[in-house]
Amino acid sequence: MPIYAVIDIGSNTVRLVIYQEKPSGRYEELHNVKIVARLREDLTEDLVLTEAGIKKLIHILTHFNNILDEQHVDTMICAATAAIRQAVNREDVKRRVSQETGLTMRILSEEEEAYYGFLAVKHSIMVSEAITIDIGGGSTELTYFKDRDIQESISLPFGALTLKRRFFNAKEDKASLEKLLLFLQAQFEAIPWLQTGIPVIAIGGSARNLALIHQGLHHYPIGGLHQYEMDPSEIPTVLNELISLDVSDRQKVEGLSKDRADIIIPAISSFQALCECIEAPKWILSRKGLREGLLYEMIHRSNGVTQSEVSVLDKSMTELENDFGTDTSDTGEVVRLAKMLADLLEEHRFFELEATDRKLLESAGRLFQLGQYIDREAASQHTFYVLSNRTIDGLFHEQRVKLALVASFHSKSRLEEWAQPFKGWFYKKERKTLSYLGSLLKFSKALNATDRKIVEAISLKEHESHVEFIIHCRKDCLSESYQAEKYIKHIEKAIKKEIVLTFEEMGM
């Protein structure tokens, strides 16, 4: 499969990330190399990138070239952002890089930098309207998108490094912090197109650090950062805790990178000020940003196709199916039967489902017991662990845990046990629905026990003392009837009614 590389020359760090496209059309990260360069500090007051800064950059890019020589990369891009863009001698820097490394450095415009961040969000998070913020070392990019199309963008001429130099050059204290927050508030309030009451999606290293710190403070029970959600009212708590520490103590904070300890205050302040300005209901982390935006464009151009509008979640489901060797013919039949049962039971008023529940039933059915790829005897345990801890584009963390609980369903008691660490996430009624969805999938799997797809239809009759499921089969169904009798108890518990199974072979 094709291999792609992105070199991202930022104001604070320079990164080389190498990706490989997967059969599903998604990609995996093979290598991620970061060098803290702080090129913004090599810009003079007249915005000239110093000779020392140029040599530092060329030294890093030469090192990256040595890595690339071993990787058989098919397509690559070397992109520079604010530090180079703001340099008055940027064309000379570009020429020197080309001559001494052989790399063609593309200097992104403010609009391009903002757009690629948005593009990464669009392809990895299912949110229809939001404000994105990407605070780098020397600039801050904001976009507003609605119906998943970008509406407005702006690049503000300050970042974590420049704000640190302006407000915390002498010392870091709460008085300086207040001045910074007032400055940021004025900057954001001056943007006429900012909308209120919509989420803020944060991109970049400082945003990742804030999420990690917050997870550490709350002993977060699952892995993964992408699509992590915070209540914006909790940001000031983290900020005040960090401002009370000196830089050396801050470096010991769990989740905070040592190289960001001296610039994290301005970055988090920017998130707080923006959330307060637009009265954001949520702060969401996107682990995908500029580099992934550039990658998406490279992949689509290399494949000669336009950017697909296939659902982000559907793409993620396909990727999981491919990665774990899922028999989509079998799971497709399980989903068909589970939907049929859900319709019957709702028609007879035993259990009503919301549209989101039905979507969850379909997604969990596609991945039902995928952990058998690892170990068939412990398929349920592996399914829950994989799905609850793996980043799944298109699903927030709470949704991911719901998917894991349903797709791994073994029994109601097992579901309650595994849901224990997330007790505050789901109401009792929600857990009841999750158990019901899991019971439908488990029973449907039994009806396709021999992978022959022999169930033509299911009908339901209500009796005074019980409910009768009549299973209409195209062929003999001895194995299916045996398995179904074992697992019908889970649906019985969910609807609180005895169920009698009758299997009828069609044409007999």
Side-chain angles (χ1 to χ4, degrees):
M1 298 301 290
I3 296 177
Y4 302 88
V6 177
I7 295 177
D8 173 10
I9 303 170
S11 300
N12 185 45
T13 63
V14 182
R15 278 186 190 261
L16 165 65
V17 188
I18 300 174
Y19 308 89
Q20 184 166 34
E21 191 172 355
K22 302 170 76 170
S24 63
R26 306 289 284 177
Y27 63 87
E28 63 179 329
E29 193 176 285
L30 301 179
H31 300 283
N32 189 323
V33 185
K34 178 180 85 168
I35 306 293
V36 179
R38 299 212 164 171
L39 292 175
R40 186 59 183 76
E41 295 182 346
D42 291 307
L43 283 178
T44 67
E45 290 186 2
D46 296 326
L47 296 180
V48 174
L49 186 63
T50 64
E51 180 63 22
I54 296 173
K55 286 182 176 179
K56 183 198 301 181
L57 174 59
I58 289 172
H59 178 66
I60 293 169
L61 295 179
T62 300
H63 170 62
F64 286 174
N65 258 341
N66 293 333
I67 297 173
L68 288 167
D69 287 342
E70 306 288 332
Q71 297 301 317
H72 310 293
V73 170
D74 296 287
T75 309
M76 73 159 293
I77 185 171
C78 176
T81 56
I84 306 300
R85 181 172 65 237
Q86 293 168 0
V88 295
N89 59 333
R90 55 186 171 272
E91 290 302 321
D92 181 52
V93 175
K94 184 176 180 179
R95 178 184 56 78
R96 291 272 301 275
V97 165
S98 177
Q99 288 177 346
E100 299 185 41
T101 71
L103 293 170
T104 300
M105 184 174 67
R106 176 180 166 189
I107 302 174
L108 300 180
S109 68
E110 296 174 347
E111 293 77 16
E112 287 175 322
E113 186 173 356
Y115 170 74
Y116 286 120
F118 154 75
L119 188 61
V121 169
K122 176 180 178 177
H123 280 270
S124 65
I125 298 180
M126 292 284 284
V127 172
S128 61
E129 184 179 20
I131 300 293
T132 69
I133 177 172
D134 184 356
I135 179 164
S139 68
T140 298
E141 279 65 46
L142 276 73
T143 72
Y144 165 55
F145 68 86
K146 185 176 182 180
D147 298 326
R148 300 180 60 73
D149 282 326
I150 193 166
Q151 306 294 316
E152 304 282 355
S153 69
I154 190 172
S155 181
L156 301 172
F158 57 79
L161 286 170
T162 53
L163 291 173
K164 172 185 176 291
R165 184 183 297 174
R166 177 171 177 177
F167 290 93
F168 300 114
N169 205 30
K171 63 176 181 177
E172 292 181 330
D173 56 24
K174 290 194 175 182
S176 300
L177 176 60
E178 285 300 316
K179 290 179 182 177
L180 169 60
L181 289 169
L182 287 172
F183 168 80
L184 291 167
Q185 179 183 358
Q187 295 296 310
F188 294 140
E189 287 179 350
I191 302 173
W193 46 260
L194 282 183
Q195 305 293 309
T196 59
I198 59 177
V200 165
I201 300 178
I203 301 167
S206 295
R208 291 192 295 272
N209 275 220
L210 173 56
L212 283 167
I213 293 168
H214 191 258
Q215 286 186 346
L217 290 173
H218 290 79
H219 308 289
Y220 201 60
I222 57 174
L225 283 175
H226 187 55
Q227 300 163 112
Y228 181 69
E229 298 173 281
M230 277 180 62
D231 186 324
S233 66
E234 297 184 45
I235 297 177
T237 304
V238 177
L239 190 56
N240 289 329
E241 175 66 24
L242 292 174
I243 198 71
S244 68
L245 304 173
D246 60 31
V247 173
S248 60
D249 287 333
R250 211 176 288 155
Q251 290 176 336
K252 302 170 186 175
V253 172
E254 183 179 353
L256 179 56
S257 301
K258 284 187 176 182
D259 58 85
R260 291 189 184 273
D262 62 332
I263 59 172
I264 194 66
I265 299 296
I268 296 180
S269 298
S270 300
F271 302 142
Q272 177 181 325
L274 179 59
C275 286
E276 290 176 351
C277 178
I278 70 167
E279 300 175 5
K282 288 181 181 179
W283 181 93
I284 302 168
L285 171 71
S286 173
R287 200 174 182 278
K288 316 290 175 70
L290 172 71
R291 291 182 293 277
E292 286 72 24
L294 289 164
L295 172 67
Y296 289 130
E297 185 176 75
M298 275 197 295
I299 289 176
H300 290 302
R301 283 182 176 175
S302 296
N303 293 341
V305 295
T306 58
Q307 293 169 6
S308 171
E309 288 301 322
V310 175
S311 159
V312 171
L313 181 57
D314 283 344
K315 289 180 181 178
S316 295
M317 293 296 103
T318 301
E319 179 179 29
L320 282 160
E321 289 170 336
N322 288 340
D323 286 354
F324 288 88
T326 300
D327 181 350
T328 55
S329 176
D330 174 45
T331 57
E333 179 68 1
V334 169
V335 169
R336 183 183 75 87
L337 295 172
K339 285 181 173 181
M340 191 184 302
L341 287 165
D343 290 342
L344 276 173
L345 290 166
E346 184 160 333
E347 180 184 336
H348 289 265
R349 300 182 182 279
F350 284 107
F351 210 112
E352 293 187 11
L353 295 174
E354 304 288 340
T356 53
D357 299 325
R358 289 182 172 276
K359 182 62 179 175
L360 175 57
L361 179 67
E362 180 177 351
S363 296
R366 291 177 64 177
L367 307 175
F368 191 63
Q369 302 297 357
L370 64 71
Q372 63 187 343
Y373 178 86
I374 302 170
D375 183 353
R376 186 171 291 274
E377 289 186 9
S380 182
Q381 290 92 327
H382 287 300
T383 301
F384 178 75
Y385 182 82
V386 167
L387 295 180
S388 61
N389 286 281
R390 173 169 169 150
T391 293
I392 302 176
D393 289 353
L395 289 183
F396 292 105
H397 291 204
E398 181 180 310
Q399 296 170 320
R400 202 170 76 198
V401 173
K402 284 184 176 181
L403 176 69
L405 288 168
V406 177
S408 67
F409 185 81
H410 177 272
S411 64
K412 181 181 179 181
S413 59
R414 180 77 62 85
L415 183 143
E416 290 289 345
E417 177 188 345
W418 288 347
Q420 191 63 31
F422 316 97
K423 202 165 186 179
W425 292 23
F426 312 121
Y427 293 113
K428 184 177 180 179
K429 183 180 178 181
E430 290 179 284
R431 298 199 303 277
K432 181 180 177 182
T433 299
L434 296 177
S435 183
Y436 172 64
L437 297 177
S439 71
L440 294 178
L441 292 174
K442 194 172 182 72
F443 181 70
S444 298
K445 175 66 177 172
L447 293 179
N448 195 43
T450 58
D451 296 334
R452 293 182 299 156
K453 304 179 183 60
I454 63 170
V455 176
E456 178 71 24
I458 304 172
S459 54
L460 184 154
K461 285 185 180 179
E462 291 189 63
H463 300 274
E464 187 174 337
S465 61
H466 66 276
V467 174
E468 183 183 10
F469 281 178
I470 304 167
I471 319 295
H472 306 276
C473 301
R474 289 187 290 269
K475 299 178 181 178
D476 70 283
C477 48
L478 184 61
S479 296
E480 285 74 14
S481 64
Y482 174 74
Q483 293 295 325
E485 291 288 356
K486 284 174 62 178
Y487 299 128
I488 191 60
K489 63 185 179 182
H490 300 296
I491 300 180
E492 290 177 326
K493 289 178 182 178
I495 68 171
K496 294 181 170 57
K497 193 81 173 179
E498 181 187 355
I499 300 174
V500 174
L501 301 180
T502 300
F503 284 81
E504 294 184 354
E505 292 185 31
M506 298 171 65
M508 294 185 65

